[in-house]
Amino acid sequence: MAESGTRRRLKKPQRRRLIEEAASALFAERGYAETRMDDIAAAAGVAKQLLYQHFHSKKALHIALLERHRDGILDRLSETMRTSGRLTDRFPLVLDAWFAYLEDNPYAAKLLFADTTGDPEVQAVYRDNHAAARTLTITLLKAEPELGIPDDRLEPLAEFIRSATTGLALWWADHPEVPRSTLVEVTVDMLVRGLGLAPANDQ
């Protein structure tokens, strides 16, 4: 009974956060179709009626999670991208911030990068997220004059980088024993060599 009292004393943002954390875990572990609102309510320790006060449907909850993690990643990357210096110096910082977010939010990769819904509205959110990631990558590439990448190649290159890093993130979700530093080093090496840049320690 004491525990129920504690739950009633939670403020609305705290309760919403509990629901989102429970839903993130279930969506990532079971997939969208196999996760029921009853399951989410039970995992969050709230009544189903209370769950619907925060999210009117399972789809609305799923989309809210996608947007929350998208914004969290973009905020963290935008802050890192403002760092001055050459691209070879900034790549490790940006990538470490990106993988650090996924490490801090262990269910985010499967939510963000593996659509299990088949729902057109949710798929539109995924497409918007992909476009935001490409835009951020293009900004990073264009900030390095020495690359000289033609405009017509910027978007396909950004999509290559996005799809490669998200694929690695999904793999990491199943291999959490691999250190974050290893993923950063592998990705930086791929990008530096692929873009024809001199490694930072050679400058």
Side-chain angles (χ1 to χ4, degrees):
M1 298 297 293
E3 186 178 1
S4 298
T6 301
R7 286 172 182 159
R8 285 196 295 269
R9 286 196 296 271
L10 288 176
K11 294 182 179 179
K12 188 174 181 179
Q14 294 172 312
R15 189 178 293 115
R16 182 184 176 96
R17 182 74 180 200
L18 279 177
I19 293 169
E20 290 177 340
E21 292 299 330
S24 292
L26 290 173
F27 284 139
E29 292 168 356
R30 300 182 184 180
Y32 181 82
E34 298 301 318
T35 299
R36 303 176 306 158
M37 291 292 267
D38 286 331
D39 302 326
I40 295 170
V46 301
K48 188 176 178 181
Q49 294 86 344
L50 186 58
L51 172 59
Y52 278 107
Q53 290 179 20
H54 290 269
F55 303 98
H56 63 81
S57 68
K58 182 171 75 168
K59 181 165 69 174
L61 173 52
H62 193 269
I63 289 175
L65 289 172
L66 293 177
E67 292 174 343
R68 171 190 145 192
H69 288 303
R70 176 203 61 200
D71 294 344
I73 287 178
L74 291 177
D75 286 347
R76 193 172 294 193
L77 293 187
S78 296
E79 181 178 343
T80 309
M81 285 176 60
R82 288 194 290 269
T83 305
S84 60
R86 290 173 51 84
L87 188 59
T88 47
D89 298 316
R90 287 185 289 135
F91 262 149
L93 300 176
V94 172
L95 288 165
D96 185 66
W98 190 72
F99 282 116
Y101 183 90
L102 299 180
E103 190 172 45
D104 294 341
N105 299 270
Y107 301 111
K110 289 187 177 180
L111 279 171
L112 286 169
F113 311 135
D115 177 19
T116 61
T117 67
D119 183 276
E121 187 177 351
V122 176
Q123 289 174 342
V125 176
Y126 276 97
R127 288 193 295 271
D128 289 344
N129 287 356
H130 295 170
R134 283 194 298 272
T135 298
L136 196 66
T137 303
I138 289 171
T139 300
L140 186 63
L141 295 172
K142 289 179 74 172
E144 189 63 30
E146 78 172 73
L147 286 177
I149 300 171
D151 288 345
D152 63 339
R153 294 193 177 191
L154 278 170
E155 187 162 4
L157 176 58
E159 174 58 21
F160 175 81
I161 293 171
R162 185 204 67 79
S163 56
T165 51
T166 56
L168 184 57
L170 284 171
W171 177 85
W172 191 32
D174 293 326
H175 300 82
E177 72 281 0
V178 177
R180 186 173 88 227
S181 59
T182 299
L183 301 183
V184 173
E185 289 168 6
V186 166
T187 309
V188 168
D189 185 61
M190 178 196 74
L191 293 175
V192 167
R193 292 177 185 274
L195 293 172
L197 295 168
N201 57 8
D202 289 348
Q203 297 166 22

